Amino acid sequence: MRPILEIKNLQVAFDTYAGEVKAVRGVSYTVNPGEAVAVVGESGCGKSVTAQTVMGLIPSPPGRVVAGQILFDGQDLLNFTERQMQGVRGNQIGMIFQDPMTSLNPTMTVGRQIAEGLRKHQSLPADQALEQAKEMLKMVGIPHPDRRLNQYPHEFSGGMRQRAMIATALACRPKLLIADEPTTALDVTIQDQIIDLMRNLQRQLGMAIVLITHDLGVVAGLCSRVVVMYAGQIMEAGPVREIYYRTQHPYTRGLLASVPKTGKERKPLVSIPGTPPDLFSPPPGCPFAPRCSHAMKVCGQLVPQEQEVSPGHRVACWLTHPLAQYRKQEVAG
């Protein structure tokens, strides 16, 4: 089965007065039709930049793609003109942005904003587009869609605005949905509702999902695979159960340890010491080495080669090297 999305060795940089920021440094991952893949990591690790590059939304200048390919349905989006990308955005690939209040147009009714994509991509008359917009509001669980259709974003609550964003992104039934931290600004109850909604819509529409988040706690209920990013690179990638229960990279282990635990046993929250590296001048070896309590001399000198530790489970860490087995056992213990 051919992947619906295949990112190969993507490198993205931003030219600033202070120098070149190497935001994405050789990212590669795939998404299969109907599959949900999570991309996780700390803020500034390159998750959103990768997604925006897929959508052709990186401002140029200052941003530029240095190298790589982005294959969507077998075609390299990096070779598309802006006019061709306009036919892809919202039609074949939908995107939910982080903050719905700044993503929705405050001067247009919610119904018009949903209908806009339908009129552009499917050439529907205004009345038919609004009727479909009403159906989309109903599909995403917004009550009284007839009335809500003619309201403005400021009249919606935070959770309803996020649902309206989802309705806008899904109006043209895209093959791929990119959800960029769709639950960040919402309370826990609404977060669960949005994840449940996305899961149900995925089943109904058969679309693929890329969920971008820094919260590993929201991943397990929706996604089958996880890609862990740090400092513009992939540290570890694999099936959800492998990442959660057979964690290989110390950074992934730190992310999992920082998730609050529920239950009777109370444990203090664990944080990862230090700060991410300066991407104006990335370190020569593993970017996580300065913050890693298990770092070896080689970690600060050479970039670790990616290893497949089990089917579909990849990790870029010197601890997986055969000569480091004694050290790996010490870390696991």
Side-chain angles (χ1 to χ4, degrees):
M1 178 173 57
R2 185 175 71 182
I4 189 69
L5 178 68
E6 190 172 7
I7 300 175
K8 296 183 177 181
N9 190 34
L10 183 64
Q11 300 176 44
V12 181
F14 291 87
D15 296 313
T16 70
Y17 291 113
E20 181 188 62
V21 179
K22 300 177 178 65
V24 177
R25 304 186 294 141
V27 166
S28 300
Y29 65 83
T30 62
V31 182
N32 295 317
E35 181 184 34
V37 175
V39 182
V40 303
E42 292 174 279
S43 297
C45 71
K47 309 183 301 293
S48 295
V49 172
T50 302
Q52 290 167 7
T53 306
V54 171
M55 297 294 288
L57 296 177
I58 294 294
S60 179
R64 56 189 171 86
V65 177
V66 178
Q69 290 181 298
I70 300 175
L71 302 178
F72 176 72
D73 235 359
Q75 295 183 297
D76 192 350
L77 296 181
L78 297 180
N79 294 331
F80 277 31
T81 64
E82 175 58 26
R83 187 177 183 85
Q84 288 175 309
M85 283 304 302
Q86 288 178 6
V88 172
R89 293 190 208 108
N91 187 28
Q92 299 183 61
I93 306 177
M95 187 164 183
I96 304 170
F97 295 92
Q98 290 188 31
D99 186 356
M101 196 61 209
T102 57
S103 301
L104 292 168
N105 189 333
T107 67
M108 292 174 63
T109 63
V110 170
R112 280 187 61 198
Q113 293 185 61
I114 298 172
E116 189 176 36
L118 292 164
R119 297 189 65 184
K120 176 179 176 59
H121 297 298
Q122 299 183 6
S123 302
L124 293 181
D127 56 342
Q128 290 185 28
L130 283 172
E131 188 62 29
Q132 285 204 26
K134 184 177 74 174
E135 290 302 313
M136 290 305 302
L137 288 178
K138 185 178 180 180
M139 180 185 289
V140 298
I142 291 181
H144 313 295
D146 287 327
R147 177 163 54 88
R148 294 295 186 179
L149 199 68
N150 298 311
Q151 291 183 331
Y152 291 85
H154 72 270
E155 299 178 84
F156 281 45
S157 67
M160 288 174 62
R161 283 195 292 267
Q162 196 62 279
R163 289 172 184 267
M165 277 294 301
I166 295 173
T168 304
L170 299 182
C172 295
R173 302 296 199 273
K175 298 178 182 178
L176 173 66
L177 174 68
I178 299 176
D180 189 358
E181 304 202 22
T183 61
T184 298
L186 306 176
D187 62 53
V188 176
T189 304
I190 303 300
Q191 282 185 14
D192 289 342
Q193 291 177 5
I194 295 298
I195 293 299
D196 285 342
L197 172 63
M198 291 176 63
R199 185 192 306 114
N200 293 333
L201 290 174
Q202 181 196 15
R203 291 171 182 164
Q204 289 179 36
L205 304 177
M207 65 184 176
I209 294 178
V210 174
L211 173 65
I212 299 169
T213 181
H214 61 268
D215 185 358
L216 276 164
V218 305
V219 169
L222 177 65
C223 301
S224 59
R225 285 194 296 124
V226 182
V227 175
V228 181
M229 287 187 65
Y230 180 78
Q233 295 179 320
I234 292 178
M235 300 287 100
E236 189 169 2
V240 168
R241 290 190 63 83
E242 286 279 311
I243 297 297
Y244 275 67
Y245 299 112
R246 295 190 60 202
T247 314
Q248 298 291 316
H249 202 286
Y251 176 62
T252 311
R253 194 172 288 113
L255 287 180
L256 289 168
S258 68
V259 177
K261 305 296 189 297
T262 58
K264 295 181 179 179
E265 188 178 2
R266 295 185 178 183
K267 292 183 179 180
L269 285 178
V270 179
S271 62
I272 302 175
T275 57
D278 183 0
L279 293 183
F280 282 108
S281 180
C286 174
F288 188 62
R291 305 174 69 184
C292 181
S293 59
H294 308 296
M296 302 174 287
K297 185 176 180 181
V298 68
C299 298
Q301 297 175 341
L302 298 173
V303 177
Q305 297 299 309
E306 193 175 77
Q307 305 283 337
E308 187 171 46
V309 294
S310 63
H313 188 177
R314 302 177 288 127
V315 61
C317 180
W318 284 113
L319 290 172
T320 62
H321 193 278
L323 295 178
Q325 288 305 307
Y326 74 97
R327 182 62 167 153
K328 183 178 179 181
Q329 292 169 5
E330 178 185 327
V331 173

